[in-house]
Amino acid sequence: MPKVNERIDLKYPIGTIWCFASDSDLWAPLVPGYIRHHKRNHHATELECKINLGILKKNVETLHKNERR
C-alpha cells in the first residue's frame, strides 16, 4: 500500500495549525477530487476522492490518521 508523507513550513502558531489539521471537516473538502468524508473517531477519517489517471478516472478511498507528535 502506498504511503505519502509531505512537509511544508508555515509561519503560524502551532496551536492554530493543529486546530485546523485536527478537524477533517475543515480540510477534507479542500482535497482535490473530494467526494465525501466520514469521521471514524477523533483520530481517524475516511476520505473518498476521484483521481484522473490519464484517460482513466478512479475513485480512491483513504484513511487519514491524526497523530500529534
Side-chain angles (χ1 to χ4, degrees):
M1 176 180 290
K3 185 174 182 176
V4 176
N5 290 313
E6 282 196 38
R7 178 190 166 133
I8 58 172
D9 294 322
L10 300 171
K11 294 183 185 332
Y12 292 96
I14 190 68
T16 301
I17 294 169
W18 186 249
C19 184
F20 179 80
S22 64
D23 187 352
S24 58
D25 290 334
L26 296 174
W27 59 261
L30 303 175
V31 174
Y34 170 83
I35 297 173
R36 69 179 137 274
H37 73 282
H38 170 73
K39 288 184 178 182
R40 281 188 173 182
N41 57 45
H42 185 66
H43 299 288
T45 300
E46 295 174 6
L47 182 65
E48 184 178 350
C49 298
K50 181 174 278 191
I51 61 171
N52 294 325
L53 301 169
I55 61 171
L56 302 174
K57 291 183 180 179
K58 180 83 174 158
N59 282 14
V60 176
E61 293 182 20
T62 63
L63 177 63
H64 170 76
K65 294 182 181 177
N66 244 350
E67 298 174 356
R68 189 171 191 174
R69 296 179 188 191

